[in-house]
């Protein structure tokens, strides 16, 4: 049921750690970014060929860092490591519960960094090939787009300019579509962070609910045993009162009464715990409903983004068709200009011939 964006970006490694950020003022002290250990995951985007480190605490993203070849994860102690995100000017620190977890995270960080470096080198090689092909091409198309040629026929009075209104309209439409797509991506990321928070809360509530359900039966058995014990003690107290004994019987009566009061207090405490668990169950249902609503909103945003991408592709295709039509018209106009130049040259020859003939008659 998961969404287009989640199908595109998949988690490849997860662990739990305490997240810290360096104090931007002192550059020395560590500031806790989470009150407790949170999940820290590596995500891979197959379409963009990028890797991210993401961690969500509460309702906000604690870590949202794209890995680059220049990043380095450094172990500063047996259970602590750090790295710097130069783009966001943030230094992150992770505190693990075991040395093994730190080692696994460091190895995965190095592995992903090497993969990013290889991908970037391949991309640079492709760019060099494209540049070489562009240099070898007989004509630079960008010059045609930026500087439309001005053609003259027999003097400055006959200049012909090509209309650029279609290009301006298509370019404006394309920029508007890109802006709408960018706004949709921002909303999608906010919904993604909200979904991570709801998913984390849902996981905790499910674990607590499962644990409570496992203990309810045991508590019910204990309550039944306590009630039976209480009834038995009540019967003993009633028997003692019926006999009306004194001395040691009074002492035994006091002990039984005290035990009865303790059992009744314990029963009240267990009833209170059961009410608390029932309220947590209702909270779990509420969180689940909110999560479903967030998923629904994220689905609608994905559909909207897909529609915007389709409209941008159509606009780009219309722009390409307009450019091809303009080139075709330029070619036809150039041919017409050449023919017109030939006719003008013939008219000049005829005029000169007429002038000569007139001079001879005079």
């Amino acid at each position: 049921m998961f969404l287009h964006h989640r199908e595109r970006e998949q988690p490849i490694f997860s662990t739990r750690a305490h997240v810290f950020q360096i104090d931007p003022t002192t550059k020395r002290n560590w500031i806790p970014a989470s009150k407790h250990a949170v999940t820290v995951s590596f995500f891979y985007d197959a379409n963009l060929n990028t890797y991210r480190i993401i961690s969500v605490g509460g309702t906000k993203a604690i870590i949202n860092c794209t890995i680059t070849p220049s990043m380095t994860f450094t172990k500063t102690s047996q259970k602590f490591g750090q790295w710097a995100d130069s783009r966001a000017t943030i230094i992150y620190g992770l505190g693990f519960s075991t040395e093994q977890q730190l080692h696994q995270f460091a190895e995965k960080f190095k592995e992903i960094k090497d993969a990013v470096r290889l991908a970037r080198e391949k991309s640079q090689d492709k760019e060099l090939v494209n540049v070489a092909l562009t240099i070898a091409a007989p004509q630079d198309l960008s010059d045609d787009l930026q500087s439309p040629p001005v053609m003259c026929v027999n003097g400055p009075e006959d200049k012909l300019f090509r209309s650029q209104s279609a290009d301006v309209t298509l370019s404006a439409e394309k920029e508007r579509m890109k802006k709408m797509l960018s706004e949709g991506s921002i909303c999608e990321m906010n919904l993604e962070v909200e979904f991570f928070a709801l998913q984390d809360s849902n996981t905790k509530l499910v674990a607590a609910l499962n644990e409570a359900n496992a203990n309810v039966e045991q508590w019910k058995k204990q309550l039944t045993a306590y009630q039976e014990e209480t009834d038995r003690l009540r019967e003993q107290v009633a028997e003692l009162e019926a006999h009306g004994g004194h001395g040691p019987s009074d002492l035994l009566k006091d002990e039984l009464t005290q035990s009865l009061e303790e059992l009744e207090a314990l029963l009240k405490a267990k009833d209170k715990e059961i009410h608390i668990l029932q309220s947590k169950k209702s909270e779990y249902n509420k969180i689940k409903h909110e999560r479903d609503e967030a998923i629904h909103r994220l689905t609608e945003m994905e559909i909207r983004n897909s529609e915007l991408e389709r409209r941008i592709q159509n606009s780009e295709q219309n722009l390409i068709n307009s450019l091809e039509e303009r080139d075709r018209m330029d070619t036809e106009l150039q041919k017409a200009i050449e023919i017109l130049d030939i006719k003008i040259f013939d008219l000049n020859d005829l005029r000169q011939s007429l002038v000569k003939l007139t001079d001879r008659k005079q």
Side-chain angles (χ1 to χ4, degrees), residues 36 38 150 169 303:
H36 50 79
V38 295
V150 178
T169 303
I303 295 173

Side-chain angles (χ1 to χ4, degrees), residues 263-280:
L263 288 173
E264 288 177 349
L266 185 59
L267 284 173
K268 292 181 180 179
K270 292 297 181 181
D271 288 336
K272 186 177 180 180
E273 290 180 1
I274 290 176
H275 288 306
I276 293 174
L277 289 175
Q278 290 176 348
S279 64
K280 286 186 177 180

Side-chain angles (χ1 to χ4, degrees), residues 90 104 128 202 219 355:
I90 298 175
Q104 291 176 350
L128 291 175
N202 180 63
W219 289 344
V355 170

Side-chain angles (χ1 to χ4, degrees), residues 274-290:
I274 290 176
H275 288 306
I276 293 174
L277 289 175
Q278 290 176 348
S279 64
K280 286 186 177 180
K281 186 175 181 180
S282 62
E283 290 178 0
Y284 164 74
N285 294 329
K286 182 180 178 181
I287 292 294
K288 184 178 179 181
H289 178 69
E290 292 177 355

Side-chain angles (χ1 to χ4, degrees), residues 57-81:
T59 59
K60 66 177 182 178
I62 300 175
I63 302 176
N64 185 6
C65 173
T66 301
I67 300 177
T68 63
S70 61
M71 290 183 179
T72 301
F73 184 79
T74 305
K75 298 179 184 179
T76 56
S77 67
Q78 293 182 350
K79 298 180 182 180
F80 192 87

